[in-house]
Amino acid sequence: MPNQKPEPTLPPTADAPSEKIKGQPQLLRGMKDILPADQPYWDAVASIVDKTATGAGFARIETPVLEAASLFTRSVGQETDIVEKEMYVFVDKSGDRVALRPELTAAAARAYLEHGMISWPQPVKLWYLGPFFRHDRPQAGRFRQFWQFGLEVLGDGHPVIDAMLIYLAVSIYRTLNVPVEVQINSLGDRACRPGYVRQLTDYFKTRKHQLCEDCKRRLQRNPLRIFDCKVTDCYTISQDAPQIVDHLCEACKDHFVHTLEYLGELEVSYTLNPRIVRGLDYYTRTVFEIVEEGGSEASTQSALCGGGRYDDLLEQLGSRQVPAAGLAGGVERLIIKMHERQFAPTVVSPDLFLAQLGEPGRKKCLKLYDVLRSMGVKVVEAFSKDGLKPQLEVANRLGVKYALIIGQKEIMDDTVLIRDMENGIQEVVDFKKVVPEVQKRLAKSTTNGQPTPAPGP
Ligand code: AMP
């Protein structure tokens, strides 16, 4: 009776209960460990983002997690929640005021200027994946350290760039089995936005007494942000507020119409949402958020991805005007959705297990281990264990296809026992022939083999 091949198992996830020892060190609030069982999901995201971005001509950039705090105050904006309330800022040992990066666009713009990318062929297309930090109130899907993937296109103001960015993000979500919808708006530019903001201010001023305290402040500093407020009264009042799409100048209107047309050509459906204003100062023209299909209206917690055009940002940092656009997607929120949608990432099992009995067997296995590893075979072992049973238990748990066993008899005969872990059939092979035999078997099983789905969370 052939043995059933067990599913490879991974250690428990972050949520498995464990016994707490009094006084043991604990995670900081809002932080999260990414445990081995989570890794297949992270690998799947990283691989799809890499394939999508690289395949579309984007090159990877990684910037330091620490930047001068002024980079973000000058770009994201001093008055924004991200900078004013959420940024981790401190004075380092040299007396410099530094910040843990809350986002990457500003750093990409800094790097673009600092490394002379302005003189490279334009546009410069960059992608990234890394951790970001915001000292916000932690809750489901909101962490203080979280990961984002992102795309930035610098040096091109054409609306087709806006549409292509959205299209690429949507295709990342689709590939990962998370259906999404796009909510889009235009914020105009410095020609048309000030006039609109004046009208908006006049509108909210007449209803100021009904606004919450936060929105009363927003009215002074950035009335557009009132659209972000979740307080019922503020939400209701903002429903009837003038909408920016009715106040765009000809150039911005043309840009917006073309962006939407290109999205249509790319078969990306979208909803116009005048409430999408994004919480950052640097946006101009197109702004968008991507939410789960059928999910609630885009809000700070439910958005999977957000982005837009930032044509004035590089000028704010001291350059000439360089049009640019980008987006960022949250990895943790995406993985939550992948779990909900039962996405099964593939787990690559090791190829071989080396089992030994007795000291001479252990030493011979060590040699063979080195040979097989240098040939690129994924070989695992439990060399510190003595009995065969506990070793084969490990082999089973890891889901290997074959175990090579060297015990006292094999040492005497200069042979190796090859055990097929799926059906339990064992075969004696001459030690000198074991490498070609292993290669032959593995080549065969790769041609027949199917990727193994990861065990549940
Ligand atoms: P934002 O730059 O705020 O638009 O963020 C882009 C994306 O990053 C959001 O749509 C979320 O998916 C994710 N994100 C932003 N802040 C957090 C956070 N505190 N925790 C987890 N994910 C976040």
Side-chain angles (χ1 to χ4, degrees):
M1 174 79 182
N3 295 345
Q4 276 293 81
K5 188 183 174 214
E7 288 287 297
T9 52
L10 287 165
T13 65
D15 303 326
S18 71
E19 205 180 303
K20 290 252 159 32
I21 304 160
K22 206 169 162 238
Q24 78 183 54
Q26 283 183 5
L27 267 175
L28 285 175
R29 205 162 116 76
M31 304 283 174
K32 188 177 184 293
D33 291 318
I34 305 161
L35 296 181
D38 300 325
Q39 294 301 338
Y41 293 85
W42 286 77
D43 291 346
V45 172
S47 147
I48 296 304
V49 170
D50 184 346
K51 276 198 196 117
T52 310
T54 318
F58 286 72
R60 186 164 187 175
I61 187 164
E62 190 48 76
T63 62
V65 287
L66 273 185
E67 296 272 1
S70 58
L71 172 66
F72 302 106
T73 42
R74 282 174 71 183
S75 53
V76 175
Q78 177 61 56
E79 307 286 323
T80 57
D81 282 358
I82 289 181
V83 167
E84 192 187 40
K85 298 189 192 153
E86 299 165 11
M87 199 157 71
Y88 280 86
V89 186
F90 60 95
V91 176
D92 72 6
K93 288 185 174 150
S94 330
D96 294 325
R97 213 169 154 267
V98 296
L100 284 172
R101 60 183 190 182
E103 56 107 60
L104 195 119
T105 302
R110 175 198 52 68
Y112 177 86
L113 296 177
E114 207 158 344
H115 301 286
M117 295 186 207
I118 202 162
S119 56
W120 296 4
Q122 304 293 300
V124 174
K125 295 174 163 185
L126 304 171
W127 75 274
Y128 61 86
L129 175 71
F132 295 87
F133 305 85
R134 294 183 195 171
H135 195 276
D136 202 351
R137 199 162 46 83
Q139 50 181 267
R142 200 205 278 161
F143 306 97
R144 290 183 173 166
Q145 175 177 326
F146 58 96
W147 283 61
Q148 284 184 337
F149 67 85
L151 305 173
E152 308 286 350
V153 179
L154 299 114
D156 199 325
H158 200 286
V160 77
I161 301 288
D162 311 28
M164 287 299 292
L165 280 168
I166 296 171
Y167 165 78
L168 290 173
V170 168
S171 73
I172 287 173
Y173 290 105
R174 282 191 189 147
T175 313
L176 292 168
N177 211 15
V178 177
V180 288
E181 54 191 53
V182 176
Q183 309 210 345
I184 192 165
N185 191 20
S186 171
L187 291 181
D189 64 6
R190 51 189 157 188
C192 53
R193 187 158 32 167
Y196 166 71
V197 170
R198 273 196 300 277
Q199 285 209 16
L200 195 65
T201 311
D202 290 346
Y203 171 83
F204 282 125
K205 264 188 183 159
T206 59
R207 292 148 180 93
K208 190 174 169 184
H209 57 284
Q210 289 167 271
L211 294 175
C212 73
E213 288 312 306
D214 267 352
C215 283
K216 282 185 184 137
R217 271 194 303 277
R218 288 176 181 139
L219 183 55
Q220 302 291 323
R221 288 150 55 160
N222 191 351
L224 274 171
R225 298 289 318 280
I226 297 175
F227 285 115
D228 266 346
C229 188
K230 303 287 165 304
V231 175
T232 316
D233 279 353
C234 304
Y235 184 89
T236 315
I237 294 166
S238 62
Q239 291 282 67
D240 296 326
Q243 295 189 1
I244 185 142
V245 282
D246 300 325
H247 295 80
L248 296 178
C249 61
E250 277 313 308
C252 286
K253 203 183 288 170
D254 189 60
H255 186 98
F256 197 38
V257 168
H258 274 97
T259 303
L260 301 181
E261 276 176 16
Y262 297 139
L263 283 176
E265 293 300 323
L266 290 162
E267 303 207 0
V268 173
S269 52
Y270 55 82
T271 310
L272 298 181
N273 184 346
R275 307 188 74 86
I276 304 272
V277 288
R278 313 278 295 133
L280 294 75
D281 276 1
Y282 54 59
Y283 285 113
T284 50
R285 296 191 166 170
T286 316
V287 281
F288 58 88
E289 289 196 347
I290 298 179
V291 295
E292 187 189 16
E293 196 177 81
S296 57
E297 189 182 334
S299 74
T300 337
Q301 272 86 262
S302 68
L304 292 170
C305 178
R309 187 154 271 293
Y310 50 94
D311 288 346
D312 298 335
L313 171 61
L314 281 109
E315 207 177 347
Q316 265 164 254
L317 298 179
S319 144
R320 64 170 159 78
Q321 208 206 16
V322 178
L327 59 84
V331 178
E332 288 83 355
R333 284 188 202 173
L334 168 55
I335 289 177
I336 292 171
K337 295 296 161 202
M338 285 161 69
H339 278 295
E340 284 173 13
R341 300 261 169 186
Q342 330 263 298
F343 179 90
T346 48
V347 177
V348 182
S349 306
D351 299 316
L352 282 185
F353 186 89
L354 275 185
Q356 34 72 40
L357 278 173
E359 200 53 18
R362 181 178 282 128
K363 286 186 177 154
K364 205 161 180 181
C365 272
L366 281 170
K367 274 208 170 58
L368 191 53
Y369 181 74
D370 181 43
V371 172
L372 292 167
R373 266 185 38 80
S374 59
M375 285 165 44
V377 178
K378 293 187 286 293
V379 52
V380 284
E381 44 64 46
F383 289 154
S384 63
K385 296 198 188 305
D386 289 323
L388 191 57
K389 195 163 171 253
Q391 292 185 66
L392 291 183
E393 273 168 16
V394 177
N396 257 326
R397 202 169 65 231
L398 295 174
V400 291
K401 299 177 191 90
Y402 299 103
L404 305 189
I405 305 166
I406 303 183
Q408 276 153 9
K409 182 160 182 350
E410 288 73 30
I411 288 284
M412 300 235 292
D413 302 346
D414 200 24
T415 56
V416 177
L417 202 57
I418 303 187
R419 180 186 172 93
D420 185 322
M421 296 297 290
E422 253 166 64
N423 56 24
I425 296 173
Q426 306 195 142
E427 202 181 314
V428 181
V429 179
D430 198 45
F431 185 79
K432 288 187 201 70
K433 294 191 184 142
V434 73
V435 169
E437 178 62 28
V438 160
Q439 278 174 318
K440 197 175 82 195
R441 288 185 184 222
L442 290 182
K444 217 155 119 200
S445 65
T446 334
T447 349
N448 303 337
Q450 293 295 320
T452 321

